[in-house]
Amino acid sequence: VQTAKPIDSMLDCDRVFITKQDQLGNREQIQRLIKEGFAGVFSFEPFAAEVQELSTEELKKALKESMQLLFL
């Protein structure tokens, strides 16, 4: 999530791909889960209209960048 809203007022429509500007600490949460032995799957749920309007190539790029940020 990247918005100026306080966390308690964020909505699904604020969800974008995870970037360095993520306000929810997703990278840290995922790294902690992996460190503690989690071996399940993670899902991306970018519901923001701006994500839904991206071209296929833009989606591929954004997803790749998010995954690199989270797992590398």
Side-chain angles (χ1 to χ4, degrees):
V1 174
Q2 294 173 206
T3 181
K5 294 179 182 179
I7 290 175
D8 62 348
S9 64
M10 292 178 184
L11 303 170
D12 281 347
C13 63
D14 296 315
R15 292 179 171 194
V16 295
F17 283 104
I18 297 166
T19 68
K20 290 180 181 178
Q21 291 77 36
D22 176 46
Q23 294 174 267
L24 299 177
N26 286 290
R27 184 176 194 278
E28 294 79 9
Q29 291 176 41
I30 289 171
Q31 293 300 318
R32 185 174 50 247
L33 287 167
I34 291 169
K35 183 179 178 182
E36 293 179 10
F38 179 76
V41 297
F42 296 98
S43 66
F44 283 85
E45 298 178 358
F47 296 119
E50 65 201 70
V51 173
Q52 296 173 19
E53 295 168 359
L54 294 174
S55 70
T56 300
E57 289 305 312
E58 291 170 319
L59 283 169
K60 286 180 184 179
K61 182 179 185 285
L63 181 58
K64 180 179 178 179
E65 290 172 354
S66 285
M67 291 182 72
Q68 287 175 336
L69 179 66
L70 291 171
F71 300 108
L72 297 180

